[in-house]
Amino acid sequence: METEDKENPSSEPHKLMLKTPLKQAATSNSVLSEIQNQAGSLLTPPKLNETSPGDPWTPTANLKILISAASPEIRNREQKKRWPDGPSEVLEAKNYLHEHLSGDEYEKSQPSRKEKSLGLLCHKFLVRYPNFPNTAENNEICLDEVSEELNVERRRIYDIVNVLESLHMVSRLAKNRYVWHGRHNLNKTLQTLKKVGEENKYKQQIQLIKRREYEQEFELEDEKTGMVTTHTSLNTDLCFVELPGMEFRAASVNSRKDKSLRVMSQKFVMLFLVSTPQIVSLEVAAKILIGEDHVEDLDKSKFKTKIRRLYDIANVLSSLELIKKVHVKEERGRKPAFKWIGPHILPYTNPVPTTTTIVPSHSVECKSAKEQCSKNLFPSRGKQSFTRHPSLMKLVKTIESDRRKIHSAPSSPTKKTDSDPNPSSFPSKMAQLAAICKEQLEEPSRQLKKMKMKLTQTTMQCKLASPVKSQAEPVPSSSQTPSLVEPLGVLPVIHNSMSPAMLPHAYSGVSYAVYLHPSQGQTMTTYSPTFTLQCVSCANMTGIKTSLDANSKALLSKTTTEDGDSSIVKDDAVTEDGNFLIAKEKEVTKNDNISEKCLKRSQALLENSPIKKYKGNEKNLEDALVTLFPSVYLIPLAHCTQLGNEAVFYSKEKAAMCSSEPGTYSSSIAGLLPVTTSEVTAVNFPAFHITPLKLMVPPSSVATVPVANGVSFNSSPDNPSQSPSSSLRNFTLQHLGLISPGMQVSANPILGPASVHPETEHVSPISENVGSYQSPYLGLRRNLPSGQTGKTSEMCQTTTENFFRTPGGPTKNSSLAVSSDSKGVDEISQGTKFVPQRKLEVSTEAKL
DNA sequence: TATTCCCGCCAACAC
DNA sequence: GTGTTGGCGGGAATA
């Protein structure tokens, strides 16, 4: 039963005409469709119901259309009517008419697939409406009308509208009627989607899938099919994400939402927003979407169907210029993928009192910011418009709570920092950690006073060296000099990879807060033993294993642009709507010259490690995902203080960019501050020689203080032998004063030799201290209940993201400079790079 | 051959 | 019962 025939009588002839075997007729229709569209719906039946009995699709009507299109009068009239900014459109129509009416070609040519593609149709659809419509005006959309004007089945309009609705560019008013919102809500929607995507750990899912793919490539006997297995699905079962005032009113919202195109679209977008680089292959997306739809039902046909739908969605998103098609080349061939070209959304960066963002107060801010999402999802004013999945409700509640606390002025960490540089004013947990550090280092309380002084000093230095400016500066190579800040000169400092904004402060002897970003738990940044800075989660061995695997996959899946750039970081930091920073997607690519054998070998080593026993324990894997805290940030406290009022923070993006630098060997998706061995020694741990090291560790990251270089940093994934127990042991021993802080009990018999970085030979003992120093916290972290920490991690995410945003906003340019300028490290480390990867090539193709 | 995705059947749902 | 909505998959066009 084709209901369209019933509900849209006038379309029936059209439909029949389309079905006609006569090529010419079909061509005419197609051309007419184009003409109608490009000319601004020249015929524009007011409404389908009001369409004149004279069917527009009769030959006579077609002729009228052509005449109308060619007539300036009619065109102008219609243009005024429908195209406020239509001159260009009229020109297009002219060209189109000229192109199609001046010859026989168009009659001979068939309407190609492209002409009828959903993407083009969506483009036509979008052209009809302004990006930012005047909300005061009537922006209603009649689907019948649109389908009529665009000369397509209404079914196709549904496809478009569903995707647009998923982005809240339209919302349903009533049957057959929608209201056009344009891009007014787009950023907010993307922001929300990103948050929800993070909450649902899509990033981890992607990595899990990639990891399994990788394992399959190496013929792990346990793997049977290429399909996603249950452990790849975190079973979040997302429902449609709403925005206030845009509650969904679709008829089938309750029954079909699970497989709804709009929900799929949202999930698809989430994948882009949470992944780094923001390239998502259809295969991975399909697996994830299927996974959430109960993987047990998965079969080939389901997969194919999902792929089809993803194509539909992707075409619309492409028309919206949010994504573009690329191809990911792998060993096995080319895979279709899409790359996010829309705004880079930094979740919940909407104007927040700057005084609330510097130091994350663990108990308050770190309850995190789902509230924003929640408020977006569910306006407090009204009732929910449709049944929502319980899990979503749960999520929303948490979000609401988090947001409330983020915006809670009294808990503002910045305030404390600004008003009182005294470390004692930090949140209690931070203070405790700092105290632990002090104790471990056998540094008396005088260090605090010293730190105060240095903070003050650094504040002045910060004023001299604008963080924003410095961020924008290219990072000098190893010879980089701390321009405005006097290096303490305690230890040699090599800045081949450090953020320029941080360097001066680093040299200034500023105390650094070591922060591990909880939101990047899956993005273990190192696999190579030679990583100079490694992020560690020793919460448990499972965590290590999982993160290692995930990271290896992340590395493997690093994409390289078609031109073969091995390190590309783009930054087009802009602001949009003044609401939040939008940075162009950063593409961080890894070196291509690392053989997979190395990876395999490393994995084999891993397999031999005690971690192996966890393999196959899917539950553990999932749990581990929650407990990973791989990213590290070194935050000059003075810097933070200084920048607090400027609402500029160190961003994980920045860190991630830095991490892309060869010298860091870090995953592009990891947030870390790339430092060389020397940097770590001299700068990042001034506490050992200069100022107290202050650990600002959110509750979720309590135990993770991963700062070290290759060898000394032996609790990293590349050192599987460094078990949590080892870390705990070291910490305990050190804490009890049984061993010195610089001592490290554990050894790395497995990867140790391979992990020797050329520079590590010159590593001072302090570096080693660093390595051992962090272990205690890893141990502490391990003691935390995984569930609790995982949740806390999430809750802290938003706050920490804000907090650690790079001064001056996204400053990936500087990172780009870093990449290009840091040849020293590159050269140094090249020989020992141990970055496993599966080379992926991304080639862009202009879809339309 | 693989990828892409148009097309329309037809079922769920609302009225 | 009628109309709306949209999941779904065949299969053709395209690469």
Side-chain angles (χ1 to χ4, degrees):
Chain A
M1 177 182 67
E2 184 62 35
T3 57
E4 274 189 44
D5 296 346
K6 301 172 186 175
E7 67 200 36
N8 189 0
S10 66
S11 67
E12 185 168 359
H14 168 215
K15 193 172 180 179
L16 293 174
M17 199 168 183
L18 284 176
K19 286 180 174 177
T20 179
L22 295 177
K23 287 181 179 178
Q24 187 169 339
T27 301
S28 299
N29 263 328
S30 173
V31 173
L32 285 174
S33 170
E34 298 286 349
I35 293 171
Q36 281 181 309
N37 169 62
Q38 300 293 344
S41 309
L42 296 174
L43 273 189
T44 313
K47 259 192 174 180
L48 183 65
N49 295 338
E50 300 170 13
T51 303
S52 63
D55 184 37
W57 306 114
T58 62
T60 302
N62 289 342
L63 182 60
K64 286 181 180 178
I65 292 172
L66 297 179
I67 294 173
S68 299
S71 167
E73 270 189 25
I74 298 175
R75 185 172 61 236
N76 291 337
R77 187 174 63 232
E78 296 299 330
Q79 168 193 335
K80 286 179 183 176
K81 222 156 118 186
R82 296 225 167 232
W83 303 88
D85 50 351
S88 60
E89 302 298 335
V90 173
L91 275 179
E92 286 183 23
K94 256 187 175 178
N95 295 334
Y96 222 88
L97 288 172
H98 177 75
E99 178 181 345
H100 291 278
L101 298 178
S102 61
D104 299 334
E105 293 180 355
Y106 83 96
E107 291 184 355
K108 295 175 183 177
S109 64
Q110 282 190 4
S112 70
R113 249 170 109 87
K114 285 184 177 178
E115 291 178 62
K116 295 183 288 185
S117 73
L118 194 65
L120 181 60
L121 180 63
C122 181
H123 181 72
K124 297 175 186 176
F125 182 92
L126 294 174
V127 163
R128 296 166 52 87
Y129 310 100
N131 282 338
F132 297 94
N134 185 352
T135 53
E137 294 179 358
N138 178 22
N139 296 309
E140 282 191 23
I141 300 172
C142 176
L143 293 189
D144 284 337
E145 187 178 329
V146 172
S147 64
E148 175 80 9
E149 293 169 3
L150 298 183
N151 187 23
V152 293
E153 300 171 39
R154 197 163 54 175
R155 177 68 194 82
R156 301 281 78 78
I157 301 297
Y158 284 132
D159 289 337
I160 295 172
V161 165
N162 285 342
V163 176
L164 295 178
E165 196 175 24
S166 73
L167 299 174
H168 302 111
M169 294 181 67
V170 300
S171 61
R172 191 171 184 268
L173 277 181
K175 184 180 71 177
N176 207 21
R177 284 173 57 226
Y178 283 76
V179 60
W180 174 254
H181 302 295
R183 296 177 184 254
H184 279 305
N185 304 308
L186 184 57
N187 287 329
K188 191 176 182 181
T189 301
L190 296 177
Q191 203 175 16
T192 303
L193 292 178
K194 181 174 184 177
K195 182 64 180 176
V196 175
E198 289 170 348
E199 300 292 347
N200 286 277
K201 310 218 179 306
Y202 279 131
K203 200 171 184 176
Q204 288 92 330
Q205 293 187 52
I206 292 173
Q207 290 181 338
L208 276 173
I209 289 175
K210 288 180 177 178
R211 179 173 66 90
R212 295 189 68 80
E213 286 177 352
Y214 173 78
E215 290 174 350
Q216 288 160 11
E217 279 191 13
F218 285 90
E219 301 170 353
L220 292 186
E221 61 279 3
D222 292 342
E223 305 302 329
K224 291 173 293 186
T225 69
M227 296 302 171
V228 67
T229 50
T230 52
H231 71 284
T232 61
S233 169
L234 299 185
N235 194 25
T236 51
D237 276 343
L238 271 184
C239 293
F240 187 67
V241 177
E242 294 180 343
L243 287 180
M246 305 187 72
E247 291 77 16
F248 187 63
R249 297 185 182 88
S252 59
V253 63
N254 288 316
S255 62
R256 301 182 180 182
K257 61 187 176 189
D258 287 344
K259 299 177 182 179
S260 162
L261 199 68
R262 62 177 65 81
V263 173
M264 283 182 59
S265 173
Q266 288 190 333
K267 291 177 180 177
F268 192 40
V269 169
M270 287 179 199
L271 296 182
F272 289 102
L273 296 178
V274 304
S275 62
T276 308
Q278 291 177 300
I279 296 176
V280 176
S281 71
L282 290 181
E283 185 178 340
V284 169
K287 287 177 179 177
I288 290 178
L289 295 179
I290 291 172
E292 290 180 353
D293 291 337
H294 309 301
V295 289
E296 59 270 20
D297 299 333
L298 178 62
D299 54 23
K300 201 80 176 181
S301 65
K302 221 176 185 70
F303 186 77
K304 280 182 62 179
T305 295
K306 203 63 87 173
I307 291 288
R308 288 190 192 105
R309 299 289 81 76
L310 285 175
Y311 275 120
D312 294 339
I313 296 168
N315 281 331
V316 176
L317 295 179
S318 296
S319 296
L320 291 170
E321 295 180 335
L322 294 178
I323 63 174
K324 72 173 180 180
K325 189 174 180 185
V326 298
H327 276 122
V328 177
K329 289 180 181 174
E330 296 180 342
E331 304 294 336
R332 292 178 299 181
R334 199 174 68 160
K335 278 185 178 179
F338 287 87
K339 174 186 175 184
W340 183 260
I341 59 173
H344 183 78
I345 302 301
L346 305 178
Y348 307 105
T349 59
N350 43 337
V352 177
T354 57
T355 56
T356 66
T357 54
I358 286 304
V359 180
S361 176
H362 73 286
S363 61
V364 181
E365 291 89 339
C366 287
K367 289 189 178 178
S368 182
K370 298 174 188 175
E371 184 180 357
Q372 173 77 33
C373 178
S374 170
K375 286 192 175 179
N376 290 339
L377 295 174
F378 308 114
S380 57
R381 51 165 174 75
K383 54 179 170 44
Q384 295 161 17
S385 59
F386 69 95
T387 303
R388 295 181 179 87
H389 196 282
S391 63
L392 185 60
M393 297 299 299
K394 185 179 177 182
L395 171 66
V396 164
K397 284 184 177 180
T398 314
I399 292 170
E400 273 188 357
S401 171
D402 294 341
R403 186 190 183 188
R404 198 176 308 118
K405 282 159 184 175
I406 282 178
H407 293 285
S408 173
S411 63
S412 165
T414 303
K415 256 186 175 176
K416 293 181 178 182
T417 308
D418 284 344
S419 59
D420 184 11
N422 189 340
S424 63
S425 64
F426 282 101
S428 59
K429 202 157 196 173
M430 304 304 168
Q432 292 173 8
L433 290 171
I436 292 172
C437 296
K438 281 195 309 177
E439 193 174 55
Q440 184 179 6
L441 297 172
E442 298 177 356
E443 289 287 339
S445 59
R446 60 180 173 83
Q447 292 278 6
L448 290 176
K449 297 176 182 178
K450 188 177 178 180
M451 181 179 175
K452 280 185 183 178
M453 296 175 58
K454 293 193 175 295
L455 283 173
T456 306
Q457 172 189 351
T458 310
T459 301
M460 298 179 63
Q461 291 168 346
C462 290
K463 291 176 182 176
L464 291 175
S466 168
V468 176
K469 185 178 178 180
S470 61
Q471 282 284 31
E473 293 171 357
V475 176
S477 58
S478 59
S479 62
Q480 179 182 12
T481 58
S483 57
L484 298 177
V485 186
E486 178 187 1
L488 294 178
V490 174
L491 290 170
V493 181
I494 296 176
H495 290 282
N496 45 41
S497 58
M498 178 167 268
S499 163
M502 296 181 178
L503 288 176
H505 308 292
Y507 288 169
S508 68
V510 172
S511 297
Y512 276 80
V514 179
Y515 173 76
L516 299 178
H517 201 297
S519 67
Q520 297 181 351
Q522 76 295 353
T523 61
M524 293 299 293
T525 58
T526 68
Y527 191 80
S528 164
T530 61
F531 279 18
T532 58
L533 179 61
Q534 295 171 332
C535 299
V536 177
S537 173
C538 285
N540 53 53
M541 293 305 290
T542 305
I544 294 175
K545 165 63 177 167
T546 305
S547 59
L548 179 53
D549 287 347
N551 186 54
S552 64
K553 286 305 300 181
L555 291 174
L556 285 173
S557 62
K558 282 291 172 292
T559 57
T560 52
T561 53
E562 207 168 22
D563 55 6
D565 278 353
S566 62
S567 178
I568 297 176
V569 181
K570 291 190 292 187
D571 176 26
D572 301 324
V574 293
T575 59
E576 184 167 309
D577 294 344
N579 283 335
F580 40 83
L581 297 171
I582 296 173
K584 269 294 186 183
E585 166 191 72
K586 55 177 180 288
E587 292 180 355
V588 182
T589 59
K590 302 308 296 181
N591 312 313
D592 293 334
N593 56 351
I594 307 301
S595 70
E596 287 187 353
K597 291 180 180 179
C598 293
L599 170 63
K600 197 169 183 181
R601 173 170 158 242
S602 299
Q603 288 188 329
L605 291 173
L606 255 183
E607 292 302 312
N608 294 330
S609 73
I611 303 171
K612 186 178 181 179
K613 65 183 177 182
Y614 288 89
K615 182 169 184 175
N617 188 337
E618 306 301 352
K619 185 66 173 64
N620 283 346
L621 285 175
E622 291 188 16
D623 293 343
L625 289 175
V626 181
T627 58
L628 295 179
F629 299 96
S631 302
V632 60
Y633 301 85
L634 300 181
I635 302 97
L637 295 181
H639 203 160
C640 296
T641 304
Q642 167 68 15
L643 299 175
N645 291 332
E646 301 171 14
V648 286
F649 320 101
Y650 291 96
S651 70
K652 67 176 181 181
E653 286 77 14
K654 172 65 180 178
M657 270 190 325
C658 294
S659 71
S660 68
E661 185 182 12
T664 64
Y665 300 93
S666 64
S667 163
S668 62
I669 51 179
L672 59 79
L673 183 147
V675 291
T676 64
T677 297
S678 299
E679 286 172 342
V680 171
T681 300
V683 178
N684 296 324
F685 291 89
F688 295 105
H689 290 280
I690 305 167
T691 60
L693 169 65
K694 188 172 191 63
L695 294 178
M696 291 167 40
V697 187
S700 57
S701 309
V702 162
T704 58
V705 189
V707 178
N709 57 65
V711 174
S712 60
F713 196 69
N714 51 8
S715 56
S716 63
D718 62 332
N719 187 357
S721 67
Q722 175 70 14
S723 65
S725 59
S726 174
S727 300
L728 187 59
R729 178 178 61 246
N730 286 321
F731 167 67
T732 304
L733 293 175
Q734 292 167 4
H735 191 72
L736 295 176
L738 298 179
I739 63 174
S740 69
M743 290 184 64
Q744 180 77 24
V745 174
S746 64
N748 181 5
I750 297 178
L751 292 176
S755 67
V756 176
H757 188 286
E759 283 195 11
T760 58
E761 295 174 1
H762 308 294
V763 170
S764 71
I766 294 174
S767 273
E768 310 256 6
N769 291 347
V770 171
S772 61
Y773 178 68
Q774 73 173 21
S775 297
Y777 296 94
L778 297 171
L780 282 178
R781 171 62 181 82
R782 184 176 182 239
N783 291 336
L784 295 175
S786 60
Q788 171 190 343
T789 54
K791 184 171 183 178
T792 310
S793 168
E794 293 179 6
M795 296 171 71
C796 294
Q797 179 172 331
T798 301
T799 301
T800 54
E801 283 174 355
N802 289 342
F803 177 34
F804 296 108
R805 186 153 303 113
T806 303
T811 55
K812 301 177 184 83
N813 286 333
S814 60
S815 291
L816 177 58
V818 171
S819 298
S820 59
D821 291 337
S822 55
K823 294 175 183 175
V825 162
D826 201 10
E827 293 171 357
I828 291 173
S829 56
Q830 199 73 14
T832 57
K833 275 181 184 171
F834 199 49
V835 182
Q837 66 172 350
R838 176 176 54 191
K839 180 178 179 180
L840 301 180
E841 295 179 10
V842 177
S843 60
T844 60
E845 292 180 354
K847 172 79 180 176
L848 292 175

